[in-house]
Amino acid sequence: AKKEHWDTTMEGGIVSDLAKKEHWDTTMEGGIVSDLAKKEHWDTTFDMEIDNFEENGDEGEVWFGEDVQQKSIQFIKDKFDLITTPILDVGTGNAAFLIACRDELGFNNLKGIDYSDKSILLSQKILDSKYGSDNVIVVEQGDAFDHPEEEK
């Protein structure tokens, strides 16, 4: 996480920007919605991530942490032995999980979707930079809740 997204509390602890009241809205029904649920938040975040990648080659964060990603990688390794097993990463972000599936496990049937077109732009830039024409990872804009009509 980037330093500018954290503050020190008066008690000496640290707090993320996401814990601050201005990052939460109250809905008409009285519920609370985090900025994390808003596409605009992610588009802005990925604009910054694209700038960081283009200026510094920084691919960004493993969003849920290295330990969670490694546990997921280990699970896949233990349960699936065919490298052609399809893997779909919903909310792919910067495609870090798919890159790990390719690099650590050798999987070659990998797809990521994200509802932020900025995420897809960042992912594609990273994939092009890492693999060029050897890329086996497909990323595209899509919403996991949109389903094409099924034929009857």
Side-chain angles (χ1 to χ4, degrees):
K2 296 186 175 38
K3 185 179 177 186
E4 63 268 16
H5 295 292
W6 296 87
D7 284 335
T8 304
T9 65
M10 289 175 45
E11 296 80 23
I14 57 172
V15 64
S16 165
D17 275 354
L18 296 175
K20 296 177 182 173
K21 186 176 189 245
E22 62 265 22
H23 291 283
W24 297 83
D25 288 333
T26 303
T27 65
M28 291 176 57
E29 296 81 22
I32 299 174
V33 177
S34 164
D35 278 353
L36 294 176
K38 299 176 185 173
K39 184 176 180 295
E40 299 80 29
H41 167 79
W42 291 110
D43 286 343
T44 300
T45 297
F46 286 117
D47 275 336
M48 290 187 308
E49 293 292 332
I50 290 167
D51 289 344
N52 278 338
F53 179 73
E54 289 176 343
E55 292 172 18
N56 308 309
D58 181 356
E59 295 177 9
E61 304 292 324
V62 175
W63 292 98
F64 296 103
E66 291 282 342
D67 57 330
V68 172
Q69 180 167 292
Q70 284 309 308
K71 286 178 184 175
S72 300
I73 293 292
Q74 188 62 49
F75 176 83
I76 291 169
K77 184 177 180 181
D78 293 345
K79 301 291 181 190
F80 303 97
D81 57 357
L82 294 174
I83 63 170
T84 56
T85 299
I87 304 286
L88 174 64
D89 184 16
V90 178
T92 197
N94 58 0
F97 178 70
L98 297 172
I99 291 168
C101 286
R102 178 203 163 138
D103 292 351
E104 295 179 35
L105 300 176
F107 277 67
N108 61 19
N109 190 357
L110 304 164
K111 182 175 183 176
I113 63 170
D114 202 297
Y115 74 159
S116 171
D117 57 331
K118 305 296 177 103
S119 158
I120 300 307
L121 179 60
L122 173 63
S123 294
Q124 198 60 62
K125 286 177 178 283
I126 292 169
L127 295 170
D128 289 346
S129 171
K130 285 181 100 51
Y131 306 118
S133 63
D134 264 353
N135 182 32
V136 296
I137 300 171
V138 175
V139 291
E140 59 186 45
Q141 185 183 20
D143 189 324
F145 297 106
D146 290 341
H147 302 285
E149 298 263 343
E150 292 183 21
E151 290 185 32
K152 297 184 181 200

